[in-house]
Amino acid sequence: MATAEHVAAGWVNLAERLTTVLPMVLGALRVGVLDLARVRVLAEATAVLDDDLAADVAGRLVAGAGQAPWEGPSPRAWRARIERAVVRADADAAARRARRERAARQVSAWP
């Protein structure tokens, strides 16, 4: 079974991030505190932070995740919790990202 190159690159990126920046998240996955979907959301959302800050934010989130995925927040609540934590961790950078994203918005119309 072949895997598309971009899919494989995504898995490699996730593996590198978990082993170098977020080892506590990898440990939580290993023992079943988090499932793969929650781990991916956490790794992707904290990628905008510097590594030390990302590790700190992830550590606090994992500590409040419960003992198993079904005991913790729902996937939607988990994503919202992560987004709030990332913004709180570096509010100035979040504001810059929001301004940059607003500036990049555009509407196109064709006859």
Side-chain angles (χ1 to χ4, degrees), residues 48 94-106:
V48 299
R96 285 192 303 274
R97 284 191 303 275
R99 280 193 302 273
R100 201 171 39 246
E101 289 167 4
R102 274 194 302 275
R105 290 178 189 167
Q106 65 181 24

Side-chain angles (χ1 to χ4, degrees), residues 9-72:
W11 284 110
V12 169
N13 185 27
L14 178 63
E16 288 175 349
R17 185 141 179 88
L18 291 176
T19 56
T20 59
V21 179
L22 306 171
M24 80 296 296
V25 176
L26 180 59
L29 175 64
R30 185 177 295 125
V31 298
V33 170
L34 296 176
D35 59 5
L36 185 58
R38 286 174 174 81
V39 167
R40 289 183 72 154
V41 168
L42 181 55
E44 291 169 4
T46 58
V48 299
L49 302 172
D50 68 57
D51 291 351
D52 292 334
L53 195 53
D56 181 52
V57 167
R60 284 186 275 126
L61 288 165
V62 168
Q67 296 301 309
W70 55 88
E71 290 181 6

